[in-house]
Amino acid sequence: MRPQSDCCHHGCGRECGPHLAHQLHTLRDIDPLAVAAIASIVEEEQHHHDHSAAQIERDDPWFRTLAPVVTAWTEAVIWMGMRS
């Protein structure tokens, strides 16, 4: 993958993980089908995150430039999605 793609996968995975973990915790006794679907997403996102993290060079200018942008936008999208 290109450094930009790895940065995006890594950033999204890092930000989405806690959000999905919260959903799993909240829904665990309410909706087993939703929990199974979210658990599947968590597994796939973790795979993307781990693969991308292994590829990233933290000193790469692309990573240093894109990482905070990806983080901020991912947080914003999650925030907006939870309020719509």
Side-chain angles (χ1 to χ4, degrees):
M1 276 191 194
R2 299 181 326 199
Q4 302 91 326
S5 297
D6 287 329
C7 180
C8 290
H9 282 293
H10 180 264
C12 287
R14 188 183 64 229
E15 294 306 311
C16 290
H19 170 70
L20 294 171
H22 179 261
Q23 287 185 341
L24 285 172
H25 176 75
T26 301
L27 296 171
R28 69 176 179 226
D29 297 326
I30 300 169
D31 190 341
L33 292 176
V35 169
I38 294 167
S40 174
I41 293 167
V42 168
E43 183 179 338
E44 184 177 343
E45 286 300 321
Q46 187 65 50
H47 172 74
H48 287 299
H49 176 271
D50 293 348
H51 176 76
S52 297
Q55 306 298 317
I56 290 174
E57 295 179 29
R58 303 246 178 224
D59 294 331
D60 185 304
W62 278 112
F63 179 78
R64 292 193 340 234
T65 302
L66 288 175
V69 174
V70 169
T71 296
W73 278 105
T74 303
E75 289 174 352
V77 168
I78 292 170
W79 183 85
M80 287 184 289
M82 295 303 293
R83 280 146 187 85
S84 60

